[in-house]
Amino acid sequence: MPKAALRVLGIDPGGFVAGWGLIQSYGNKLRLEDSGTLRPRRGDPFTMRLCALHSGLTEVLDRFQPNVVAVESVFFSRHPRAALQLGHVRGVLLLAAAQRELEIFEYPPATVKKAVTGNGRASKEQVRQMVAMLLGSEIKGAADKSDALAVAICHAHSGGLLSRIKDLDPGPPRRRPQRGKP
Amino acid sequence: MPKAALRVLGIDPGGFVAGWGLIQSYGNKLRLEDSGTLRPRRGDPFTMRLCALHSGLTEVLDRFQPNVVAVESVFFSRHPRAALQLGHVRGVLLLAAAQRELEIFEYPPATVKKAVTGNGRASKEQVRQMVAMLLGSEIKGAADKSDALAVAICHAHSGGLLSRIKDLDPGPPRRRPQRGKP
């Protein structure tokens, strides 16, 4: 893949674990690099788990050197206690990315689903299947990984669009690929 | 003050700023060491402010070397959006303490107020006045500082109790100081 490929790390923070997925994007082409789940030990105190998530993501960032990080924005229909807990986890993950001076982009869940499946209300299984199809690679294991890859793909599409607007002379508008509007 | 003094750092995280206050506690004696407010620049992106809060608290920890950190637990009556934001801030502050392998204690706001003023529903101003009286020092500036000192005092009181239970032969129960039960 050419040097100018954009390396996008998608992150899917949960209340206790976090999925991550790295893709390379060049023009309309996408390639899966790797994906995984940060899974602190369940019995550990919450603050130790925050440490493990932060250092785990820092390792991923240092190993894969993404150009940009994409993360889902959060539903506000949650119970405040769940929102508070998710906030702690999200805070230390965003911190890790910000400490590496990476740009961080947020996308609402419906935007991510629509960018990947064409349907803003797609199920997790539908997302997983489309992510696998788009990347030409089966995504095994927990949904955290395919959700993280989905937000990376969503960014790659919008990022591609933005760079088209910036880099090319204004010409006749190109049709986006078959998945519909992002 | 003797070597065995306990150095307690209290932290009061808010949605955008965080107060901190360090006390030394030895038996029933309390002494104010220092206090301050971490106040990231308002115009900065949220993730940069998380970085500033994390590095600011890390500096305080490295400079003052507390033995223990105390922080208020959180009301859950908040709006989920506020809880989420507070969660991000609280997450990076707790992370800074956990990265220094400090023990972190949480106290409900009513417990803190009661420990300091005798009244679990005291106003911020009442807390400020009692903190100043207990530490023999005026607390100038924002309420973040006196709130942070209040939770440190609350811990010093409970910590003192716990160490009494652990360190002394079981004898007749001692009466706690005049402020009532913590």
Side-chain angles (χ1 to χ4, degrees):
Chain A
M1 202 163 270
K3 251 175 92 182
L6 185 72
R7 302 164 64 78
V8 186
L9 182 75
I11 304 175
D12 178 42
F16 290 100
V17 299
W20 61 271
L22 190 91
I23 61 168
Q24 289 193 15
S25 145
Y26 184 73
N28 280 336
K29 296 197 183 79
L30 297 175
R31 197 174 76 180
L32 170 66
E33 190 147 336
D34 207 344
S35 68
T37 306
L38 307 174
R39 203 181 285 283
R41 277 198 304 198
R42 282 198 86 117
D44 283 350
F46 184 55
T47 47
M48 272 187 67
R49 283 184 278 160
L50 291 180
C51 273
L53 287 166
H54 178 267
S55 63
L57 185 62
T58 300
E59 253 174 58
V60 168
L61 294 170
D62 289 347
R63 185 169 153 211
F64 292 103
Q65 305 275 336
N67 306 110
V68 62
V69 164
V71 63
E72 268 188 17
S73 54
V74 182
F75 278 128
F76 290 110
S77 57
R78 288 166 178 273
H79 188 279
R81 183 184 285 270
L84 185 77
Q85 172 143 343
L86 180 60
H88 281 71
V89 169
R90 224 167 164 270
V92 302
L93 296 174
L94 295 180
L95 176 73
Q99 285 172 326
R100 290 292 180 269
E101 296 180 9
L102 289 164
E103 266 197 294
I104 301 163
F105 293 84
E106 279 192 322
Y107 299 93
T111 303
V112 174
K113 286 179 178 175
K114 192 159 187 188
V116 172
T117 69
N119 170 10
R121 308 183 68 177
S123 69
K124 281 197 178 284
E125 181 53 26
Q126 286 171 317
V127 169
R128 198 186 58 71
Q129 285 177 6
M130 275 306 294
V131 164
M133 215 184 82
L134 290 167
L135 298 176
S137 169
E138 207 185 333
I139 314 298
K140 284 178 186 158
D144 314 295
K145 290 199 262 183
S146 46
D147 283 353
L149 288 165
V151 65
I153 292 169
C154 174
H155 175 77
H157 287 173
S158 353
L161 182 66
L162 290 173
S163 72
R164 264 214 302 279
I165 289 169
K166 208 173 67 180
D167 296 338
L168 295 182
D169 288 334
R174 295 201 204 170
R175 285 199 68 226
R176 305 220 67 211
Q178 61 283 9
R179 279 169 307 284
K181 289 142 264 162
Chain B
M1 204 164 268
K3 252 174 90 180
L6 185 72
R7 301 163 65 78
V8 187
L9 182 74
I11 304 177
D12 177 42
F16 291 100
V17 300
W20 60 271
L22 190 92
I23 62 170
Q24 289 194 15
S25 145
Y26 184 75
N28 280 337
K29 295 197 182 80
L30 298 175
R31 196 174 76 176
L32 170 66
E33 191 147 335
D34 207 342
S35 68
T37 306
L38 308 174
R39 204 178 286 281
R41 278 197 304 197
R42 281 200 88 118
D44 284 349
F46 184 54
T47 47
M48 273 188 66
R49 285 184 276 161
L50 291 180
C51 272
L53 288 166
H54 177 266
S55 64
L57 186 62
T58 300
E59 254 173 55
V60 168
L61 294 170
D62 289 347
R63 183 168 156 212
F64 293 104
Q65 304 275 334
N67 306 110
V68 63
V69 164
V71 63
E72 269 188 18
S73 54
V74 181
F75 278 128
F76 290 109
S77 56
R78 286 166 182 273
H79 187 278
R81 182 183 286 271
L84 185 76
Q85 171 142 345
L86 180 61
H88 282 72
V89 169
R90 221 165 166 271
V92 303
L93 296 173
L94 295 180
L95 176 72
Q99 285 172 326
R100 290 293 180 270
E101 296 180 8
L102 290 164
E103 265 196 295
I104 301 164
F105 293 84
E106 281 192 320
Y107 299 93
T111 304
V112 174
K113 287 177 177 176
K114 192 160 187 185
V116 172
T117 70
N119 169 12
R121 307 184 67 176
S123 69
K124 282 198 177 283
E125 181 53 28
Q126 286 172 317
V127 168
R128 200 187 58 73
Q129 286 177 5
M130 275 306 294
V131 165
M133 214 183 84
L134 289 168
L135 298 176
S137 170
E138 205 183 336
I139 313 298
K140 285 178 186 159
D144 313 294
K145 292 200 263 185
S146 46
D147 283 353
L149 288 164
V151 65
I153 293 169
C154 175
H155 176 76
H157 287 172
S158 350
L161 183 66
L162 289 173
S163 72
R164 265 216 300 279
I165 290 169
K166 207 172 70 180
D167 297 337
L168 296 183
D169 288 334
R174 295 201 202 172
R175 284 198 69 227
R176 306 218 66 212
Q178 62 281 11
R179 277 170 309 284
K181 288 143 263 159

